[in-house]
Amino acid sequence: MVARALLVSLALLALALLSVSASHSMKKKAPVRWKRISKPDRCPGRVEDGDLVELFYNVDLKNGERVMEMQDNIGFINGRMLRNGLPSGLHEAALGMCRGEKRKVRLLPQAAYGDQGVPGKGIEPGTTVIIELKLVDIFKKAREVENPDAEDLTQYVKLKA
């Protein structure tokens, strides 16, 4: 009797695993996927929502063609960036990074430049991009302000190493 119950339980578990596996393989690709290229030995703090970060990033097309090289201060507030014109997926890709960490990020169009693309930069509408991202510095909120601004660094204090 116990052996039969165990056999039935194992069969049900196998069926459950097969159904989970089948549903997982049918899911769409995640719009933001990243892989850590390198990280520092020490990580005194990680990027959180509400931080201002200084980033170096290169934007490549899937064929490897480099279309942009940037260094930028980007503020993240409530899950969105304070500056327009940047890929929305950059927020998700940078969360949890340490100063000095590098990531390679794949952004599907909905997390990159969407249906607009970037005229004049070679990024057509609906393009998937690959971004090499290096976190240069993290600035934590120094004080609360009514209208956060990524250009006003007085609102932030540099994270100590």
Side-chain angles (χ1 to χ4, degrees):
M1 181 86 163
V2 173
R4 185 176 186 163
L6 181 61
L7 191 59
V8 169
S9 295
L10 287 173
L12 289 173
L13 179 62
L15 284 172
L17 288 173
L18 283 173
S19 69
V20 167
S21 175
S23 68
H24 179 69
S25 66
M26 295 180 355
K27 287 183 181 176
K28 293 182 179 180
K29 289 183 182 178
V32 178
R33 297 195 68 173
W34 59 267
K35 178 175 89 173
R36 182 177 291 119
I37 297 171
S38 67
K39 69 176 187 169
D41 293 334
R42 283 184 2 92
C43 183
R46 297 182 180 277
V47 175
E48 300 172 323
D49 198 35
D51 291 348
L52 177 81
V53 296
E54 183 179 358
L55 297 169
F56 287 135
Y57 60 98
N58 301 318
V59 180
D60 299 336
L61 301 179
K62 285 191 333 185
N63 67 8
E65 178 187 353
R66 175 138 309 149
V67 292
M68 278 193 250
E69 293 182 356
M70 304 288 288
Q71 177 177 353
D72 219 339
N73 288 329
I74 303 169
F76 299 129
I77 303 293
N78 298 326
R80 66 178 179 79
M81 287 177 286
L82 294 177
R83 186 167 305 140
N84 292 330
L86 296 170
S88 62
L90 217 49
H91 174 264
E92 184 179 334
L95 286 175
M97 287 183 79
C98 297
R99 183 186 295 128
E101 184 175 334
K102 293 180 184 177
R103 291 182 179 177
K104 189 167 198 165
V105 182
R106 188 213 64 207
L107 300 177
L108 293 182
Q110 65 268 32
Y113 298 98
D115 294 333
Q116 300 80 28
V118 183
K121 294 285 187 182
I123 302 175
E124 299 294 324
T127 299
T128 295
V129 296
I130 309 298
I131 296 179
E132 291 178 26
L133 187 62
K134 178 181 179 185
L135 181 65
V136 178
D137 230 329
I138 303 171
F139 299 85
K140 297 291 183 182
K141 200 77 155 158
R143 58 189 172 87
E144 289 301 315
V145 292
E146 204 169 300
N147 297 309
D149 181 1
E151 302 294 330
D152 180 7
L153 292 179
T154 64
Q155 299 172 20
Y156 300 88
V157 61
K158 188 174 184 173
L159 183 69
K160 293 181 179 167

